[in-house]
Amino acid sequence: MARIAAGADHAGVHLKGVLVAHLRELGHEVVDCGTHSADRVDYPDFGEAVARMVAAGEAELGLCVCGTGIGIAMAANKVPGVRAATVHDVTSARLTREHNDANVVCLGERLIGAEAAREALDAFLSASYEGGRHAPRVAKIDALLPSER
Ligand code: RB5
């Protein structure tokens, strides 16, 4: 069982709730970083909260939900050590764990149904990083410097 940080904006709060309940039923420990209501909030705040927990080793994995799963992934990926991936189905969820060693999975409540999201999350959790030929590529991702402004 894993310790998983979960976060969402207002557009993902319902699906987050469904998935957090599912994870807890499976026996995982979930740290819910919010949001907790449908009041409008900014998705980068919750992507950052999840990502910082993962980067600090306070959570093994992260789950992020926003309307598309894209913006919150962009925010999470700004935190060094985090590899956040937006997934849409079982296959993309499995492959990003196996090939990219993704440590944060991102879903879009406006784009995917709850059942498909649950299946994708299960696939993400069941898969393992393959290493091997993927290792130098993942190392290159991690070695990229933050963009300068
Ligand atoms: C919020 O309206 C929406 O923009 C956000 O949830 C997300 O889809 C951004 O990527």
Side-chain angles (χ1 to χ4, degrees):
M1 291 300 111
R3 182 172 161 91
I4 300 171
D9 70 354
H10 56 285
V13 68
H14 175 73
L15 181 58
K16 172 172 70 70
V18 170
L19 296 176
V20 165
H22 174 63
L23 289 170
R24 288 180 172 149
E25 274 177 26
L26 291 175
H28 296 290
E29 182 185 353
V30 181
V31 181
D32 191 339
C33 301
T35 191
H36 301 288
S37 80
D39 295 343
R40 284 178 188 270
V41 290
D42 297 330
Y43 57 83
D45 297 335
F46 300 91
E48 179 188 1
V50 169
R52 291 210 183 278
M53 286 204 67
V54 172
E58 294 166 5
E60 294 161 61
L61 297 169
L63 164 66
C64 288
V65 189
C66 67
T68 60
I70 297 170
I72 203 162
M74 290 179 172
N77 275 318
K78 288 288 187 177
V79 177
V82 166
R83 292 174 301 280
T86 306
V87 306
H88 298 286
D89 50 31
V90 165
T91 305
S92 51
R94 174 177 60 81
L95 286 173
T96 197
R97 194 89 189 279
E98 290 178 352
H99 290 196
N100 315 125
D101 199 16
N103 50 17
V104 176
V105 62
C106 306
L107 291 150
E109 182 175 332
R110 292 174 177 163
L111 303 181
I112 190 169
E115 184 62 17
R118 189 189 58 74
E119 289 176 2
L121 178 59
D122 286 348
F124 182 84
L125 294 173
S126 299
S128 302
Y129 177 49
E130 290 179 352
R133 72 185 190 279
H134 304 295
R137 300 162 184 166
V138 172
K140 285 188 176 185
I141 294 173
D142 287 343
L144 286 169
L145 296 174
S147 55
E148 292 181 15
R149 293 178 187 272

